[in-house]
PDB file of all heavy atoms in Angstrom:
ATOM      1  N   GLY K 249      78.787 166.960 102.287  1.00 90.00           N
ATOM      2  CA  GLY K 249      79.046 166.800 103.722  1.00 90.00           C
ATOM      3  C   GLY K 249      77.750 166.525 104.466  1.00 90.00           C
ATOM      4  O   GLY K 249      77.693 165.689 105.367  1.00 90.00           O
ATOM      5  N   GLY K 250      76.705 167.234 104.031  1.00 91.00           N
ATOM      6  CA  GLY K 250      75.404 167.061 104.662  1.00 91.00           C
ATOM      7  C   GLY K 250      74.896 165.641 104.551  1.00 91.00           C
ATOM      8  O   GLY K 250      74.355 165.087 105.507  1.00 91.00           O
ATOM      9  N   ALA K 251      75.089 165.039 103.377  1.00 92.00           N
ATOM     10  CA  ALA K 251      74.611 163.673 103.174  1.00 92.00           C
ATOM     11  C   ALA K 251      75.293 162.727 104.150  1.00 92.00           C
ATOM     12  O   ALA K 251      74.665 161.840 104.724  1.00 92.00           O
ATOM     13  CB  ALA K 251      74.880 163.237 101.745  1.00 92.00           C
ATOM     14  N   MET K 252      76.595 162.938 104.332  1.00 92.00           N
ATOM     15  CA  MET K 252      77.323 162.056 105.251  1.00 92.00           C
ATOM     16  C   MET K 252      76.833 162.247 106.674  1.00 92.00           C
ATOM     17  O   MET K 252      76.525 161.287 107.376  1.00 92.00           O
ATOM     18  CB  MET K 252      78.805 162.361 105.176  1.00 92.00           C
ATOM     19  CG  MET K 252      79.408 161.891 103.884  1.00 92.00           C
ATOM     20  SD  MET K 252      81.164 161.979 104.004  1.00 92.00           S
ATOM     21  CE  MET K 252      81.484 163.387 103.061  1.00 92.00           C
ATOM     22  N   VAL K 253      76.755 163.511 107.088  1.00 93.00           N
ATOM     23  CA  VAL K 253      76.284 163.786 108.445  1.00 93.00           C
ATOM     24  C   VAL K 253      74.879 163.230 108.628  1.00 93.00           C
ATOM     25  O   VAL K 253      74.579 162.557 109.609  1.00 93.00           O
ATOM     26  CB  VAL K 253      76.311 165.302 108.725  1.00 93.00           C
ATOM     27  CG1 VAL K 253      75.658 165.615 110.056  1.00 93.00           C
ATOM     28  CG2 VAL K 253      77.735 165.800 108.699  1.00 93.00           C
ATOM     29  N   GLY K 254      74.019 163.494 107.616  1.00 93.00           N
ATOM     30  CA  GLY K 254      72.644 163.010 107.692  1.00 93.00           C
ATOM     31  C   GLY K 254      72.588 161.503 107.858  1.00 93.00           C
ATOM     32  O   GLY K 254      71.854 160.978 108.691  1.00 93.00           O
ATOM     33  N   GLY K 255      73.389 160.791 107.064  1.00 95.00           N
ATOM     34  CA  GLY K 255      73.388 159.331 107.131  1.00 95.00           C
ATOM     35  C   GLY K 255      73.802 158.824 108.502  1.00 95.00           C
ATOM     36  O   GLY K 255      73.129 157.978 109.105  1.00 95.00           O
ATOM     37  N   ILE K 256      74.896 159.371 109.006  1.00 95.00           N
ATOM     38  CA  ILE K 256      75.394 158.908 110.302  1.00 95.00           C
ATOM     39  C   ILE K 256      74.392 159.247 111.412  1.00 95.00           C
ATOM     40  O   ILE K 256      74.077 158.404 112.266  1.00 95.00           O
ATOM     41  CB  ILE K 256      76.765 159.559 110.624  1.00 95.00           C
ATOM     42  CG1 ILE K 256      77.780 159.226 109.523  1.00 95.00           C
ATOM     43  CG2 ILE K 256      77.263 159.147 111.991  1.00 95.00           C
ATOM     44  CD1 ILE K 256      78.316 157.842 109.546  1.00 95.00           C
ATOM     45  N   VAL K 257      73.876 160.487 111.375  1.00 93.00           N
ATOM     46  CA  VAL K 257      72.909 160.896 112.405  1.00 93.00           C
ATOM     47  C   VAL K 257      71.706 159.957 112.382  1.00 93.00           C
ATOM     48  O   VAL K 257      71.255 159.450 113.411  1.00 93.00           O
ATOM     49  CB  VAL K 257      72.449 162.356 112.179  1.00 93.00           C
ATOM     50  CG1 VAL K 257      71.220 162.674 113.018  1.00 93.00           C
ATOM     51  CG2 VAL K 257      73.572 163.311 112.512  1.00 93.00           C
ATOM     52  N   LEU K 258      71.225 159.664 111.171  1.00 94.00           N
ATOM     53  CA  LEU K 258      70.058 158.803 111.047  1.00 94.00           C
ATOM     54  C   LEU K 258      70.325 157.408 111.616  1.00 94.00           C
ATOM     55  O   LEU K 258      69.525 156.861 112.372  1.00 94.00           O
ATOM     56  CB  LEU K 258      69.677 158.701 109.572  1.00 94.00           C
ATOM     57  CG  LEU K 258      68.293 158.156 109.306  1.00 94.00           C
ATOM     58  CD1 LEU K 258      67.270 159.043 109.957  1.00 94.00           C
ATOM     59  CD2 LEU K 258      68.050 158.085 107.809  1.00 94.00           C
ATOM     60  N   GLY K 259      71.489 156.867 111.254  1.00 94.00           N
ATOM     61  CA  GLY K 259      71.845 155.540 111.762  1.00 94.00           C
ATOM     62  C   GLY K 259      71.875 155.522 113.278  1.00 94.00           C
ATOM     63  O   GLY K 259      71.334 154.616 113.917  1.00 94.00           O
ATOM     64  N   LEU K 260      72.495 156.552 113.863  1.00 94.00           N
ATOM     65  CA  LEU K 260      72.598 156.602 115.329  1.00 94.00           C
ATOM     66  C   LEU K 260      71.230 156.767 115.970  1.00 94.00           C
ATOM     67  O   LEU K 260      70.898 156.090 116.949  1.00 94.00           O
ATOM     68  CB  LEU K 260      73.524 157.753 115.736  1.00 94.00           C
ATOM     69  CG  LEU K 260      75.005 157.518 115.470  1.00 94.00           C
ATOM     70  CD1 LEU K 260      75.807 158.772 115.766  1.00 94.00           C
ATOM     71  CD2 LEU K 260      75.536 156.355 116.311  1.00 94.00           C
ATOM     72  N   VAL K 261      70.428 157.672 115.401  1.00 92.00           N
ATOM     73  CA  VAL K 261      69.108 157.915 115.979  1.00 92.00           C
ATOM     74  C   VAL K 261      68.284 156.630 115.978  1.00 92.00           C
ATOM     75  O   VAL K 261      67.648 156.281 116.971  1.00 92.00           O
ATOM     76  CB  VAL K 261      68.367 159.014 115.180  1.00 92.00           C
ATOM     77  CG1 VAL K 261      66.886 159.010 115.511  1.00 92.00           C
ATOM     78  CG2 VAL K 261      68.968 160.362 115.484  1.00 92.00           C
ATOM     79  N   GLU K 262      68.317 155.914 114.853  1.00 91.00           N
ATOM     80  CA  GLU K 262      67.523 154.693 114.761  1.00 91.00           C
ATOM     81  C   GLU K 262      67.958 153.679 115.787  1.00 91.00           C
ATOM     82  O   GLU K 262      67.143 153.063 116.476  1.00 91.00           O
ATOM     83  CB  GLU K 262      67.669 154.088 113.371  1.00 91.00           C
ATOM     84  CG  GLU K 262      66.783 154.753 112.374  1.00 91.00           C
ATOM     85  CD  GLU K 262      66.681 153.948 111.108  1.00 91.00           C
ATOM     86  OE1 GLU K 262      67.398 152.926 110.970  1.00 91.00           O
ATOM     87  OE2 GLU K 262      65.896 154.337 110.261  1.00 91.00           O
ATOM     88  N   SER K 263      69.256 153.490 115.869  1.00 92.00           N
ATOM     89  CA  SER K 263      69.745 152.431 116.727  1.00 92.00           C
ATOM     90  C   SER K 263      69.567 152.775 118.205  1.00 92.00           C
ATOM     91  O   SER K 263      69.085 151.958 118.989  1.00 92.00           O
ATOM     92  CB  SER K 263      71.188 152.138 116.325  1.00 92.00           C
ATOM     93  OG  SER K 263      71.963 151.842 117.395  1.00 92.00           O
TER      94      SER K 263
END
Side-chain angles (χ1 to χ4, degrees):
Chain K
M252 288 191 256
V253 173
I256 302 285
V257 166
L258 196 60
L260 287 174
V261 164
E262 279 194 354
S263 143

